[in-house]
Amino acid sequence: MLTGYIRKKAVKIITAAGIALTAAALTAAVHLSLRGAEASAQEAGGAGQARDVTYAVKIKADSGKSLTNLSDSDIYSRVTFSDGDTITASVKSDYKGEIEIAGVYVSWNLAPGDWQLTAGENTLEQGKHGFIHEYVALPEPVSKLTMSIPSGAQMCDIYFYTSGELPPDVQVWQEPWEKADFLLFPSHGDDEHLFFGGIMPYYAGECGYKVQVAYLTDHKYTEKYRVHEQLDGLWTVGVRAYPCFGDFVDEYSSSLSEAEAMYGAKNVERWQVEMIRRFKPLVIVGHDFEGEYGHGAHRLNGTMLQKSVPDAADPEKYKESAAKYGVWDTPKFYSHLYNRDNGVIIEWGEVKLTNFGGVSALEMAKRAYKCHESQQRTRYKVMTDGYGDCRQFGLYRSTVGEDIRKTDLLEHLIPDDELIKVRPAATPEPTDPPTPKPTEEPTEEPTEEPTVEPTEEPTKEPTEEPTVEPTEEPTEEPTEEPTEEPAAAPTEVPTSLQTPVAAEAQTALPMYEKEAGGNDFPVLPVAIISAAALVAVVVVSALIHRKKSK
């Protein structure tokens, strides 16, 4: 009986040992497979491909504050450091010797002010540019670093990367241009894609021209999440210079007079003149003078450019910005939908972009608009007809002559053989926008009114803009081949214009092709160990049972 008891115990012990060995072997296989997948992906993407290694980094705050939601890709689950704090980030023990941190990517709810990052013997001063999407490249890779966070800072997300070329969704913003080729004046986040269409993906993302965006309003006062959407949309279409924002609150106005009373026409003009003098653009693009669908802020932002563009060249107007930046006479000023019967029509759907995998400029505008997630439930969309036709622009003012080809906003500023080469569309029949008739422009110069400052931040959920349903919009007319195209007069190319495909604008452009890759890590030895363990259990058990049967 004792012998039988020992046999049973032996079987149980050996079986348990075999199961434990098998589990350990399988765990090792999974662990090594993950490591192998990372190695294979890095090899497939090139030896210089950076990897997101946030999973291998432990972060903690000196205050003991929980930081678990800082890598969930959710801008709403932020952490507020009311009294300031120090965050320590270190590579987990399981990955030490294999992984080192070469860069830190932080998303803030608001610009945090000055903060410091210490890695090894290097202390880096950050926050001076006011970016809320901020990438910090370390002088050399480290396994541990600390971040000194100022009081009141609100952090949304933090990610860590190894050395190499960063993934396309990591936004490494540069400061606004000192001198721009294009200066765009949208009023709110998403207007730049809805109404300016393919301008950014083509001129910035494809050609590398210096495109600067200056928003009239700043969503940080009311809907902070929309600033993240603005940055995501701009980055998607290849804009790399951080945008500028006017000190105006986003509030809906249904008429020009209401917007003037809300913002102060002179305040808007002062800001526009400063932006023009600061960036000295070759081309300015603004809103439809009728506000597209009648939005008062669109109308004010668009119509004030009629005065601001020439005033920016007058040293007697707004002397403070003239003293700071000098004066500037912009060669070309376009308004969305202006002179629809004889304006510029750019068929963005036919302009294919090599830097974006061959998709059209129109498609890229649509993709960028989708970055504005809070606006997807509204009725607005990127359009090629009606009040939102993003193909049509009218030359309101020019110092280089009238457009002849009318298929490129840089006509007369670059050689003809570099202009957009797509067939022009037949001009669609103009239709009245779905808005009340515009109020008459005041003849007297508006008096200065203070900028509206919010007293406290609204807590209610974001609301949609009032939906003024448009009247019947025209269907797009079929395009016609032109019979003869008049020859453009020879012009000199301004030396200030940047050569297309500027190197700084071509770094880390988003690509939409699936990258090749695979996991060819040799996990066979681990699998053999696992199989051997199972076989050992079976063999030993069989021998014991065989001896017992005898």
Side-chain angles (χ1 to χ4, degrees):
M1 292 181 63
L2 182 61
T3 304
Y5 174 78
I6 293 174
R7 285 199 194 98
K8 291 179 181 179
K9 283 293 184 182
V11 170
K12 291 181 180 180
I13 292 171
I14 293 173
T15 302
I19 292 173
L21 179 60
T22 302
L26 291 175
T27 301
V30 171
H31 185 68
L32 292 174
S33 296
L34 291 174
R35 299 284 178 87
E38 293 168 5
S40 298
Q42 183 173 358
E43 182 178 356
Q49 186 70 40
R51 293 177 292 138
D52 180 352
V53 292
T54 307
Y55 65 89
V57 178
K58 179 181 179 180
I59 58 174
K60 67 176 182 177
D62 281 1
S63 65
K65 186 184 292 289
S66 174
L67 307 177
T68 55
N69 59 350
L70 288 183
S71 57
D72 58 3
S73 299
D74 184 357
I75 60 173
Y76 299 99
S77 61
R78 54 185 175 268
V79 175
T80 301
F81 301 92
S82 301
D83 301 319
D85 215 329
T86 298
I87 293 177
T88 300
S90 56
V91 175
K92 296 176 182 177
S93 58
D94 289 348
Y95 298 93
K96 283 186 177 178
E98 301 177 18
I99 289 176
E100 287 190 308
I101 303 168
V104 182
Y105 185 36
V106 187
S107 174
W108 305 95
N109 192 43
L110 286 169
D114 295 338
W115 63 280
Q116 294 77 38
L117 186 152
T118 301
E121 298 180 355
N122 300 293
T123 297
L124 309 177
E125 300 293 333
Q126 301 299 317
K128 60 183 178 180
H129 300 309
F131 299 166
I132 66 168
H133 292 181
E134 192 169 13
Y135 180 79
V136 183
L138 305 184
E140 56 185 9
V142 297
S143 59
K144 183 178 180 179
L145 58 86
T146 59
M147 301 167 62
S148 298
I149 310 300
S151 60
Q154 296 179 327
M155 186 181 293
C156 299
D157 288 300
I158 184 169
Y159 298 95
F160 302 91
Y161 289 87
T162 61
S163 300
E165 183 180 351
L166 292 167
D169 59 344
V170 177
Q171 300 172 15
V172 187
W173 289 99
Q174 63 186 49
E175 294 182 68
W177 296 111
E178 290 187 6
K179 187 178 187 309
D181 298 320
F182 286 82
L183 178 57
L184 310 185
F185 279 103
S187 296
H188 315 95
D190 75 11
D191 292 340
E192 67 276 31
H193 308 297
L194 290 173
F195 308 123
F196 301 159
I199 290 178
M200 291 182 293
Y202 175 72
Y203 289 109
E206 182 72 7
C207 299
Y209 288 114
K210 297 178 179 181
V211 176
Q212 182 64 50
V213 180
Y215 295 95
L216 174 68
T217 61
D218 194 338
H219 291 297
K220 74 178 182 182
Y221 293 126
T222 53
E223 302 165 309
K224 296 178 180 62
Y225 56 87
R226 293 193 66 180
V227 183
H228 294 281
E229 295 174 348
Q230 287 171 296
L231 295 178
D232 292 345
L234 294 178
W235 190 264
T236 295
V237 291
V239 172
R240 296 294 176 262
Y242 203 79
C244 294
F245 304 89
D247 195 26
F248 303 98
V249 181
D250 175 19
E251 295 182 279
Y252 185 78
S253 54
S254 59
S255 67
L256 177 60
S257 58
E258 185 179 351
E260 286 178 334
M262 184 178 296
Y263 297 120
K266 200 171 186 66
N267 293 332
V268 172
E269 183 190 358
R270 179 186 294 107
W271 172 75
Q272 289 179 342
V273 168
E274 181 178 353
M275 292 296 99
I276 294 169
R277 288 171 172 171
R278 174 181 175 181
F279 296 115
K280 298 176 172 55
L282 294 172
V283 178
I284 287 175
V285 182
H287 277 286
D288 170 30
F289 297 146
E290 304 302 325
E292 280 82 29
Y293 54 89
H295 198 307
H298 293 194
R299 297 180 68 183
L300 180 61
N301 197 18
T303 57
M304 289 310 299
L305 284 171
Q306 299 176 21
K307 196 170 188 303
S308 299
V309 172
D311 281 357
D314 186 348
E316 297 302 315
K317 301 292 179 64
Y318 302 104
K319 294 182 179 180
E320 184 177 350
S321 63
K324 186 175 182 179
Y325 299 111
V327 298
W328 180 253
D329 195 4
T330 303
K332 303 182 81 173
F333 162 38
Y334 286 94
S335 173
H336 179 225
L337 301 183
Y338 176 70
N339 192 17
R340 296 186 73 168
D341 292 333
N342 197 31
V344 171
I345 301 179
I346 306 177
E347 291 292 349
W348 297 124
E350 297 183 22
V351 179
K352 306 301 180 181
L353 308 177
T354 302
N355 286 338
F356 297 98
V359 303
S360 69
L362 180 64
E363 174 60 26
M364 287 310 303
K366 293 179 179 179
R367 292 184 184 183
Y369 176 60
K370 288 182 179 179
C371 292
H372 295 259
E373 295 180 3
S374 65
Q375 305 305 298
Q376 298 307 302
R377 61 181 180 270
T378 69
R379 65 184 174 88
Y380 305 111
K381 61 181 180 179
V382 178
M383 301 164 58
T384 55
D385 58 7
Y387 69 87
D389 193 340
C390 68
R391 306 169 304 153
Q392 294 201 327
F393 305 91
L395 183 60
Y396 182 82
R397 183 178 183 274
S398 174
T399 65
V400 294
E402 295 295 322
D403 289 336
I404 298 174
R405 293 175 181 263
K406 299 180 180 179
T407 60
D408 197 313
L409 303 183
L410 288 176
E411 186 172 353
H412 299 320
L413 296 175
I414 61 175
D416 287 353
D417 60 1
E418 294 181 12
L419 298 177
I420 296 175
K421 297 177 177 61
V422 296
R423 55 194 175 90
T427 304
E429 291 295 327
T431 58
D432 293 329
T435 59
K437 292 185 178 179
T439 56
E440 188 173 351
E441 285 286 335
T443 55
E444 296 182 0
E445 183 166 334
T447 57
E448 182 171 354
E449 294 182 21
T451 304
V452 179
E453 290 289 344
T455 56
E456 60 182 21
E457 185 172 322
T459 57
K460 62 181 182 179
E461 290 296 318
T463 57
E464 303 173 10
E465 293 181 1
T467 56
V468 182
E469 290 296 330
T471 55
E472 183 178 354
E473 296 174 6
T475 56
E476 189 174 351
E477 295 290 334
T479 58
E480 299 178 0
E481 294 288 345
T483 53
E484 279 190 2
E485 188 176 77
T491 57
E492 296 183 4
V493 181
T495 57
S496 60
L497 191 63
Q498 290 293 310
T499 302
V501 197
E504 63 267 39
Q506 292 300 314
T507 58
L509 286 179
M511 303 300 289
Y512 293 90
E513 298 147 338
K514 186 177 180 181
E515 294 183 355
N519 178 17
D520 56 357
F521 188 80
V523 297
L524 182 60
V526 179
I528 292 174
I529 293 173
S530 302
L534 289 173
V535 170
V537 172
V538 173
V539 170
V540 172
S541 298
L543 289 173
I544 291 173
H545 282 288
R546 181 181 178 186
K547 186 173 182 180
K548 180 180 178 181
S549 62
K550 290 181 179 180

